[in-house]
Amino acid sequence: MKLFEWEAKAVFREHGLPVPRGRVVKDPEEAAAVAQELGRPVVVKAQVLSGGRGKAGGINFAGDPAAAQAAAARLLGMMLAGEPVRSVLVEERLDIAREFYLSVTIDPALPAPVLMVSGAGGIDIEKQAATTPQLVFTQPVEIARGLQGFQVWNLLADAGLPPAAMHQGVTVATELFRLFRQRDAELAEINPLALTTAGSLVAADAKLIINDNALFRQPWVPRTRAHFDHDLEYEAAQHGLNYVKLSGSIGLLCTGAGLSLATLDLVAREGARAANFLESGGANYRNAYHGLRLVLGDPEVKVLLINTFGLVSRADVICRGLADALKELGTVKPVVAAIRGTGEEEARRIFWEELGIASCPDTESAVRKAVKMAREAQ
Amino acid sequence: MKLFEWEAKAVFREHGLPVPRGRVVKDPEEAAAVAQELGRPVVVKAQVLSGGRGKAGGINFAGDPAAAQAAAARLLGMMLAGEPVRSVLVEERLDIAREFYLSVTIDPALPAPVLMVSGAGGIDIEKQAATTPQLVFTQPVEIARGLQGFQVWNLLADAGLPPAAMHQGVTVATELFRLFRQRDAELAEINPLALTTAGSLVAADAKLIINDNALFRQPWVPRTRAHFDHDLEYEAAQHGLNYVKLSGSIGLLCTGAGLSLATLDLVAREGARAANFLESGGANYRNAYHGLRLVLGDPEVKVLLINTFGLVSRADVICRGLADALKELGTVKPVVAAIRGTGEEEARRIFWEELGIASCPDTESAVRKAVKMAREAQ
Amino acid sequence: MTLMLPAGGGVVVQGITGRESRFWTERMLSAGARIVAGVTPGKEGEVVHGVPVYHTVQRARRRHPAEVAVILVPAAFAKEAALEALEAGMQLVVWLTDGVPVQDVMAVVGEARARRASVVGPNTPGLAVPGHTMLGFVPVWLDQVWRPGCVGLMSRSGTLSNEVASHIVAAGYGVSTFVGCGGDPVVGTRFVDLLPQFEQDPATRAVVLVGEVGGSMEEEAAGWILRRGYAKPVVAYIAGRTAPEGKRMGHAGAIIAGSTGKAVSKEEVLRAAGVQVAEVPAAVGGLLQGVLQ
Amino acid sequence: MTLMLPAGGGVVVQGITGRESRFWTERMLSAGARIVAGVTPGKEGEVVHGVPVYHTVQRARRRHPAEVAVILVPAAFAKEAALEALEAGMQLVVWLTDGVPVQDVMAVVGEARARRASVVGPNTPGLAVPGHTMLGFVPVWLDQVWRPGCVGLMSRSGTLSNEVASHIVAAGYGVSTFVGCGGDPVVGTRFVDLLPQFEQDPATRAVVLVGEVGGSMEEEAAGWILRRGYAKPVVAYIAGRTAPEGKRMGHAGAIIAGSTGKAVSKEEVLRAAGVQVAEVPAAVGGLLQGVLQ
């Protein structure tokens, strides 16, 4: 779950991390009011989840409240990388002497959390790690032991943090790691970490991604409509489903992420496009019902393609749920199915006897049949 | 720092550990009121820090408020193992089906905290460990890893906790360990841990000792006069000094605990008795001043014996402080000194030139001289 | 004994008393797994399909020698269960649980490294030696899909492994050992950990790697083969060529970020390392026939 | 190299920039200690008595090979400093800090065990090889007290060690190596850890053990000698025969509880193990003359 900058900064503030003064607003008048309160030049930042906001013109400086209002008016409602700007963050403009990069992320190959620092901030860290790796300093952290103070000292000194800023830097990095651990983050990033002309460190930007698997123990994580790209994706999340809206005519309902991806590819190979990616998490009836409702509720869907290879979820249990849901939803759209896995005889019997749907013998034939039917339906 | 039972139970309660309902009171009428509130038979327990309270008659059962009042009246002001009973704890009397022993303590030889359980509670655990070790089950805990749930399950199952009480037992033991860690305890003990006839576990007694070295980060720890055996010991603690009141005529001020103990023994060997044990913690003037004030303030002291072997605290620094303090206090009691260690020439010069005190060459001769002077002073 | 499975090979199933667990315990037993005990705290004394249940792994192990733990407990308790297995001295932990917080996974894999034990998963279909044993959710009893044979199969996906296995069988081969690495971004056993084991396994003549978009396990495997060479032919299939960028596609590991993790770039590096890459799952069979002639 | 001290023996002093630390650094240097660097976070670039200062032990060690850390930081930060030293790969940590919370001590000693490193202390006067080196607060420059010689000395106390050392010197002997175990109930190095080292040390002909009331280090040592035998004569002195029960006497370790830990019972078990027990510190000299004839 990726958070908006203003949400991440609110979490940072709770952890005592230094962030610029400011507030998130939803209309231009409020932006002017915040600038007035701050009483100094401000920066007005579009709040979107996608990257590359700065280059796309999403960050504006404003010398006075009127300029802040104008900037907010320009940004609000604008589209940035396909995402509407629903709010802007108005913050004091910092007097920056130098920029650093600081983050805690995960190295899956170790595997371990890694504290990462660079003396060049405000940059694309992945690009920098590729081109000038000597400027990027990393410290993997053993989870059982935690981050040790001296590891932070080593790293910051190596990255060239000036001696006068070392004590604050150690505090900031230590707390950022604590936040990462306590909040079940996948990424906690400050880029740039600004060293002001007055000599203090401030998180000019903030990025926070919370691990989806940990949401059950992180109830504070916001999950509003704005956090999703599409109404259907938002609705799917309410039911614990992972649904991704695509633009095609074949609605997909497959068991397992890998088989879903492969089916997606096969549809494309046949020259058609899938309407969605959907991993139907479990075997139970409500999941099947909500998953089907989402897929069939998409007006672009012409044909429904069901592809199961029952595993943890047994084919008979899945197909029982799907058959009941199909009957309840009473769809008129055509259905193609490939049913395999544990309990497949019973599963095929249910589909044939109750719905009149014959299972295809394999994925390829089912995909070809679905694509053909979708073409005919257009 | 050893806590009273009622203080330990208050901490237990904060950690959600099950303790009997009840309250600590300082007069018999209040005891009756508590019994009235509880509305059932109670136990009235003398609050003292020394052990063996039960055998000495410090625990009384009372069937009604009048009996509770009478028991409190009998206990309050009584002496138990030389300690006055200043308060009593009035608690509901439990219907006990079976008693267990549960504690977290330190094994210095490992070294590690150890969770200890016995199926026979209310007993002297040291005696039991010596006589029937097969009934005492222990689980050392690696501090870096913490206590694991399955270790608790193993231990409690081995100790014979009935299956129906296992889940609560695991919660109690886990929380007791957490308390031990969070509170910097040396001992956290429930003896007995009562299994009531209704099937729940309750900490019938509670013992908690907080590590003195950790008091700087455990500011909640009570340190009232009642926690000390003697006015002078209480006063010493205010100044961070470790003073133990003894009954003799030779006041001791030595550097280092080991040398202090050895000097104590040598005084006894010469047929005399020391008035105190005092380890003067540091080298600074205020320590020397307060230490001397305590020793000289004891009316039993006839002679002051100073024995230094300056080490971490240099002899010259210590003696500078002692000389200034002696002048400020203006004592008329005779002083004997053995001054050795780093800076000893300067230290001896100070004592001789400023106070007219000549240093003895070694501990033995200083002790003999002090004992002789103390005898003459009587 | 066979690849990944410690000698002796007694198996303890943690979380054995759950409804689904009972079903899969019975399936594993009938597929040949030597399950000697089950564990559910508070249920000591119960019996599941003839398997005695204990409060803890350690207590189970006092009575029944075992080196392998199969974990079927819910995500919220999965970390403690895995640590318990490692602490009790298990050499292999098959961590079937889905939805484990990533920081819990790191803690457990870190502990396993320190103890020189192996963790397969989490979020894995488990592992299987068709005709011999199965630890997890692999339907080895479907003989159109799983047969004993000479092909080592490793995969990040469950259902897709079945799909590919069925094509291996259709091409006239079978599987020596199957290991599901798991669909999460952080897992205990990666392709590079399995490559040397398949290379040394006398029962394995060729290896099939089933990858997907996101992460870098396929790139690591390619790099390892390129640096070191590999004594057996390798065939790969990568799912998710047409997945959109920046979106999570089911598996938490399946996010493409920047240039790394794309299915086509994975295919490229694998080809550069001499691996035969199938464009569709069904092509795996033909490529195997080519390399195993 | 000598007992307890790793070969190479470069020393890093942690907390070197404090006022008292500067004094003792100078004393250690003049007593022969090979102090190659100091550590105080935030003070990198400073120099103390010619010793360069770094932010961290690891940074110091990059430039100056070192195996020994001497810790002079206050109690509140002492745990982190000790863990830093161990993490940086130090083989010996001389933990001079007084007043360290006991749970912090357990954490550090646990970590040292895991890394097969040694910790002396905390709350120790340190260790010394008179005429060769000194790490801590031992006034080896007082030649009425400390001289090189053939007696291994180990003690739970600081000042009392000086007292006993002066009697060793008065009896015509000197000290091969002195190790102060520390006055706390939990310490990194106990008498039983030192006995085998003194036994193997060719420079040591006899061992003097200075114990005190409380704890069980003396009983452990006696038990070890009794079970195993000991190739060199051992003389002991135990302080605190007349200490009252149940009271803490200065050292946190010096509490007598129940029947264990009493000075007289310690003397008894030591005598039973063949150790010569001195009734007063001054008697140590005579007993040494007896055993070293």
Side-chain angles (χ1 to χ4, degrees), chain D residues 13-71:
Chain D
V13 175
Q14 289 172 261
I16 195 170
T17 54
R19 198 170 48 90
E20 285 293 305
S21 302
R22 288 169 191 268
F23 174 86
W24 287 104
T25 296
E26 193 269 323
R27 288 294 167 136
M28 287 189 263
L29 283 167
S30 59
R34 236 168 48 64
I35 300 175
V36 296
V39 167
T40 301
K43 305 265 170 141
E44 184 159 312
E46 291 194 10
V47 173
V48 172
H49 296 297
V51 175
V53 179
Y54 296 84
H55 288 320
T56 66
V57 176
Q58 218 169 46
R59 289 175 70 79
R61 239 187 146 208
R62 281 188 209 160
R63 301 280 295 276
H64 311 277
E67 289 77 36
V68 182
V70 171
I71 298 186

Side-chain angles (χ1 to χ4, degrees), chain C residues 203-271:
Chain C
T204 298
R205 288 180 54 211
V207 176
V208 172
L209 178 163
V210 181
E212 65 187 40
V213 68
S216 62
M217 274 173 59
E218 298 81 4
E219 288 86 343
E220 271 170 44
W224 190 85
I225 292 171
L226 200 60
R227 279 195 308 281
R228 215 183 137 280
Y230 199 70
K232 296 177 181 176
V234 180
V235 173
Y237 168 70
I238 311 295
R241 294 165 146 248
T242 57
E245 277 195 34
K247 303 284 281 189
R248 189 190 131 180
M249 306 294 272
H251 283 165
I255 304 175
I256 329 173
S259 58
T260 60
K262 282 189 195 170
V264 286
S265 64
K266 286 176 191 291
E267 291 177 353
E268 273 167 29
V269 292
L270 285 165
R271 277 201 195 90

Side-chain angles (χ1 to χ4, degrees), chain D residues 88-103:
Chain D
M90 296 308 213
Q91 290 172 45
L92 172 64
V93 174
V94 183
W95 202 2
L96 301 174
T97 310
D98 179 21
V100 183
V102 65
Q103 301 204 9

Side-chain angles (χ1 to χ4, degrees), chain A residues 107-127:
Chain A
D107 183 338
L110 291 174
V114 174
L115 181 65
M116 196 182 294
V117 188
S118 169
I123 41 72
D124 179 338
I125 191 69
E126 283 173 14
K127 199 172 290 174

Side-chain angles (χ1 to χ4, degrees), chain B residues 55-91:
Chain B
K55 279 183 200 147
I59 298 177
N60 290 199
F61 295 108
D64 56 41
Q69 179 164 349
R74 191 165 51 247
L75 290 173
L76 285 162
M78 185 179 168
M79 294 296 279
L80 280 178
E83 188 183 346
V85 179
R86 293 180 174 91
S87 59
V88 295
L89 179 60
V90 183
E91 283 182 337

Side-chain angles (χ1 to χ4, degrees), chain D residues 197-213:
Chain D
Q197 298 198 50
F198 278 124
E199 194 176 34
Q200 281 163 32
D201 178 30
T204 298
R205 289 180 54 212
V207 177
V208 172
L209 178 163
V210 181
E212 63 188 43
V213 69

Side-chain angles (χ1 to χ4, degrees), chain D residues 163-178:
Chain D
E163 178 86 23
V164 172
S166 71
H167 293 300
I168 293 172
V169 168
Y173 301 103
V175 168
S176 55
T177 293
F178 161 68

Side-chain angles (χ1 to χ4, degrees), chain B residues 305-307 336-338 360-371:
Chain B
L305 170 54
I306 293 172
N307 190 15
V336 176
C360 298
D362 55 38
T363 303
E364 281 79 2
S365 57
V367 167
R368 275 194 297 270
K369 186 170 168 192
V371 170

